[in-house]
Amino acid sequence: MTVVMGRAAREARGSGSPRGGSGRARKQPLLTTLTPYLFLLVPVTLLLVFVYLPSIDLVWYGFSDYAGLGTPKWVGLANYQEVYQRPELFRAFWVSLYYMVGSVVQMVLALYLATVLSFSVRFRNLWKGIIFFPFLLNTVAIAMIFQFAFQENGTVDAVLSLVGLGSVKQQWLGNTSIVNWSMVTVSIWRYLGLNFVIFLGAIQSIPGALYEAADLDGASRWQQFRYIIFPGIKPLVALSFILSIAGSLAAFDTPYIILKGANGTQTFVIEIVQLAFVESHKVGLASALAIILLVITLIVVVGLRRLLPDEKVNLT
Amino acid sequence: MLSALKYASLLAASAFMLVPMLVILFNSLKSNDELFSGYPLALPHGLHLSNYATAWTDGNMARGFLNTGIILVVSLVGNILVASMTAYALDRFEFRGKKLVLAGFVVATLIPGITTQVAVFQIVNHLGLFNTRWSAILLFLGTDIISIYIFLQFLRGIPRELDEAAALDGANVLSIFFRIIFPLLRPAIATVCIVKGVAIYNDFFVPFLYMPKPELQTVSTSLYAFQGPYGGQWEIISAAIVIIALPSLVLFLALQRYVYNGFTSGATK
C-alpha cells in the first residue's frame, strides 16, 4: 500500500507545489493570517486535553499517592519500588509474550492466504469475505463467541470429536498452561482478516507484467513469492508486524470479558484497569505501571523499527 | 495436487473462521433443553425465535442501539469536521507553528492511547463528563491521526487552482472550504465513516469505563451485561450476539468494496 500511496502522493504534491508559495508573498489581511489557527482551534485543543495533558499527568501521578480523590502527594519512587517488589505485577509482561508469538503466527497465515488468493482461485471473493468478516464483529460478541467455543462440550470440543481428536479435549479456559494460548487464538481469529486484506491489496498492486515475465522464465509459485511478492510488500509486512506487537502489549478485551484476567491471563492493561478503577483506587500505582508499559512499548516499537527493513521498494 | 492442497487450506481457514459463528447462530435457534443436552454442531430442530424476543427485551437492547447510534452519529460528524479542517489547514496554509502542530499529531500516535487512560479518566471526571454520552463522544471525536491522514492524502489530489479561482471570485475561506472542498472530499469521508464507524460500534473499553450507568449502555456493554444473570442461558446470549452482529454483516454485504478499500488505505497509515 505504501508503494501505491507513495506514488500517488508524490504526483499530487508535484502538481501543487509550484503554486504553493505564490499567495504568501502578498500582504495578507489579519483574518487571512488567523484562518489556519481558527481551523486548528478545536483539533489542537482536543489533542492537548486528551493526549498531552494526560501524558504529563500520568508521569506526575506515577510519583504520587493519588487515589482518584483529593490532591495527590509526592511519594518519589515508592510506586515503582512497589512494582519492583511485587513480581506478580510484572507477570503481565510474560503474558504479552504469548500474544507476540501469536502475532508471528498471524503474519505468516495472513501472508500465506493473501498469496494464495492473489493467484487465480475459484470463489475468491467468498474466501476473502469469510476470512475478513470476523474483524468487523463487536468486541464483546467475539469474546462471548469464544467463551462458548472453549466451554466443556463447546464448539472446540465438538470439532475435535468430529475429526477424531476427542482425546485432546482440554479445559481450554481452566488449564493455566493452556488458557493464554486460547486467548491468543481468539486474537488471531479476530485480526487475521485485517492483515490478510492489507497484504492482498498490496500484492495486487504489484504490476502484473512481473508475474508474466516470471511465468515465461518458468519460475515456480514459491519463487514468485520469494523474489517478487515478498520483497514487494516487505515494508508493509514489517509495519503490520510492529503494530501487532504493540497491540500484544495492549491486549485487554478478550481475557477481561471472558475471565476478568483470572487463571493467569492478566495483561498489563487488565492490571492497570483493576488497580485504578475496579478493585481499588490506586491511581498512583496504576500510573506507574502505565508508564512502565509505555516505555516498554516505545522500546519494542523503536527497536523493531531499527531491526526491520524500511527501505522503499520500487518494482516498476 | 498443489491445487488440491490450496483448496484444502482455504477450506480449513474458512472453517476456522466460520464454525465458531455458525454454532452461535445454531444456539440462538435452539431451545434451552436442546442446547444443554445436544451437540453444538447439530442443526437446530425448530426455530426458537422467541430467544430473540427475550434477548431484545430483557437485555434492553433497544436502549443499547439508541445510545450507540447517538454516540456514533455525533462523534462521526464531529470527527469528519475536525479532521478535514485540520487536514485543510495543514495542507493549504503556511503559518507559524505549522511544523509543531504536525509533529504534535504524529508524536501522539506513538503514545498508545490505552496507557494514558488512567489520567484521561481523571480529566473526563474533572470536566464532569463521567457517566454522560459526551465522554464517549469527545474521546471518539478526538484526535487520531488516521482520519487526518486520510483527508491529507485526498486533499493533495485536489488542485489548488480550485481554491485560488474561488478566492478570486471573492469567496472567503470558510465558504471555499465548506462549499468547494468539503463536497469533493466525499470518498475520503466514506472511508473515515467506515473505519471509525466500525471502531466505535465495536468498542468496549470506552463505554465500559466511562459510562457504567445502565441507562447509558451501548450495544457492547448491554451484551456484556448478559454475562452475570444469563450465565447458563446460551440460547439467549447467542441471540443477543446475532442481533449485534447483524448490522456489521449488513454493512459488509452492502458496501463490501468500500469496506475493503477503507481498511486497506486507513489501517496502514
Side-chain angles (χ1 to χ4, degrees), chain A residues 12 19 24 37 43 47 52 54 112 122 127 129 136-139 147 151 153 158 189 257 260 272 277 290 294, chain B residues 7 9 14 16-17 39-40 86 94 96 104 108 112 115 118-119 121 143 156 161 201-202 220 224 227 234 260:
Chain A
R19 292 183 160 264
R24 254 176 298 155
Y37 298 104
L47 185 69
Y52 287 102
Y112 169 78
R122 238 173 293 174
W127 305 119
L136 296 177
L137 281 181
N138 182 283
T139 309
Q147 193 170 10
Q151 271 190 353
N153 294 320
W189 187 86
I257 296 168
K260 297 259 183 339
I272 291 169
F277 309 110
L294 184 68
Chain B
Y7 285 102
S9 63
S14 301
F16 172 60
M17 292 308 198
Y39 175 64
T86 310
E94 292 301 328
R96 205 177 299 199
T115 56
V118 177
F121 183 86
T143 44
R156 285 179 182 150
E161 284 81 352
Y201 182 79
N202 293 338
S220 293
Y224 183 66
Q227 252 196 346
W234 273 102
Y260 287 134

Side-chain angles (χ1 to χ4, degrees), chain A residues 4-303:
Chain A
V4 203
M5 285 299 174
R7 199 191 308 140
R10 235 177 296 134
E11 278 163 15
R13 229 173 302 156
S15 72
S17 56
R19 292 183 160 264
S22 65
R24 254 176 298 155
R26 264 177 271 133
K27 191 140 179 78
Q28 293 174 330
L30 181 66
L31 193 66
T32 318
T33 323
L34 281 179
T35 311
Y37 298 104
L38 291 175
F39 272 71
L40 290 171
L41 192 64
V42 177
V44 170
T45 309
L46 285 170
L47 185 69
L48 291 178
V49 173
F50 291 109
V51 178
Y52 287 102
L53 187 60
S55 304
I56 296 165
D57 281 350
L58 194 69
V59 176
W60 156 226
Y61 291 157
F63 292 114
S64 79
D65 66 347
Y66 196 38
L69 287 167
T71 24
K73 213 168 56 230
W74 176 268
V75 293
L77 286 171
N79 291 320
Y80 291 91
Q81 262 163 353
E82 191 171 346
V83 175
Y84 182 72
Q85 282 158 358
R86 286 169 57 183
E88 82 270 15
L89 288 177
F90 210 70
R91 215 174 38 204
F93 182 71
W94 301 109
V95 175
S96 3
L97 290 184
Y98 286 90
Y99 291 85
M100 293 186 188
V101 174
S103 297
V104 177
V105 176
Q106 186 180 317
M107 290 302 132
V108 172
L109 283 177
L111 209 50
Y112 169 78
L113 291 167
T115 308
V116 166
L117 285 173
S118 64
F119 295 112
S120 70
V121 176
R122 238 173 293 174
F123 313 118
R124 186 211 249 139
N125 281 330
L126 181 67
W127 305 119
K128 188 178 167 189
I130 291 172
I131 296 165
F132 178 71
F133 178 66
F135 175 71
L136 296 177
L137 281 181
N138 182 283
T139 309
V140 185
I142 292 173
M144 289 189 159
I145 287 172
F146 280 91
Q147 193 170 10
F148 183 82
F150 288 131
Q151 271 190 353
E152 209 176 333
N153 294 320
T155 315
V156 176
D157 286 350
V159 170
L160 286 176
S161 308
L162 187 74
V163 296
L165 288 170
S167 55
V168 272
K169 278 186 194 170
Q170 273 291 341
Q171 290 225 307
W172 304 107
L173 300 176
N175 185 340
T176 46
S177 56
I178 284 185
V179 66
N180 277 313
W181 293 120
S182 306
M183 297 295 112
V184 169
T185 308
V186 182
S187 162
I188 295 175
W189 187 86
R190 180 176 187 183
Y191 293 109
L192 176 67
L194 178 65
N195 289 133
F196 155 75
V197 160
I198 291 172
F199 294 164
L200 185 63
I203 293 175
Q204 285 173 340
S205 72
I206 296 173
L210 285 180
Y211 300 117
E212 283 159 29
D215 270 336
L216 285 178
D217 290 344
S220 68
R221 285 288 192 247
W222 167 250
Q223 285 169 325
Q224 293 188 14
F225 174 78
R226 176 74 185 75
Y227 297 106
I228 302 176
I229 295 179
F230 190 67
I233 67 170
K234 206 158 62 174
L236 192 65
V237 175
L239 180 68
S240 305
F241 183 63
I242 292 172
L243 289 176
S244 178
I245 293 287
S248 303
L249 288 161
F252 168 76
D253 298 316
T254 312
Y256 188 83
I257 296 168
I258 299 184
L259 286 157
K260 297 259 183 339
N263 292 352
T265 58
Q266 200 158 22
T267 64
F268 265 121
V269 180
I270 294 181
E271 254 173 22
I272 291 169
V273 167
Q274 285 181 337
L275 276 176
F277 309 110
V278 182
E279 277 163 13
S280 53
H281 289 279
K282 297 188 168 177
V283 177
L285 185 60
S287 301
L289 258 188
I291 293 281
I292 292 172
L293 171 59
L294 184 68
V295 170
I296 293 176
T297 309
L298 286 180
I299 291 174
V300 169
V301 168
V302 172

Side-chain angles (χ1 to χ4, degrees), chain B residues 67-218:
Chain B
N67 283 323
T68 295
I70 295 172
I71 291 168
L72 193 70
V73 170
V74 179
S75 41
L76 269 186
V77 170
N79 182 268
I80 287 163
L81 277 176
V82 165
S84 61
M85 287 172 83
T86 310
Y88 185 68
L90 290 175
D91 188 60
R92 292 296 211 260
F93 293 90
E94 292 301 328
F95 56 93
R96 205 177 299 199
K98 177 172 166 171
K99 284 227 170 77
L100 185 70
V101 172
L102 198 58
F105 280 106
V106 172
V107 171
T109 59
L110 285 177
I111 304 172
I114 209 146
T115 56
T116 54
Q117 288 308 312
V118 177
V120 172
F121 183 86
Q122 308 302 328
I123 290 175
V124 169
N125 203 11
H126 280 298
L127 293 171
L129 300 176
F130 177 66
N131 256 333
T132 70
R133 288 188 199 98
W134 287 108
S135 59
I137 289 171
L138 280 177
L139 290 171
F140 288 137
L141 192 156
T143 44
D144 71 314
I145 193 104
I146 292 177
S147 319
I148 298 178
Y149 254 121
I150 292 173
F151 284 119
L152 265 179
Q153 293 279 359
F154 205 83
L155 267 171
R156 285 179 182 150
I158 301 177
R160 283 160 192 260
E161 284 81 352
L162 222 57
D163 308 33
E164 286 160 11
L168 286 179
D169 287 344
N172 65 29
V173 183
L174 273 185
S175 67
I176 293 176
F177 178 74
F178 282 106
R179 301 178 63 175
I180 296 169
I181 302 296
F182 197 74
L184 289 175
L185 290 174
R186 245 172 310 179
I189 292 173
T191 302
V192 170
C193 275
I194 287 171
V195 175
K196 288 282 290 185
V198 167
I200 294 171
Y201 182 79
N202 293 338
D203 186 72
F204 167 68
F205 193 79
V206 167
F208 169 71
L209 205 59
Y210 293 92
M211 311 189 308
K213 198 157 76 172
E215 298 84 74
L216 294 179
Q217 267 175 2
T218 63

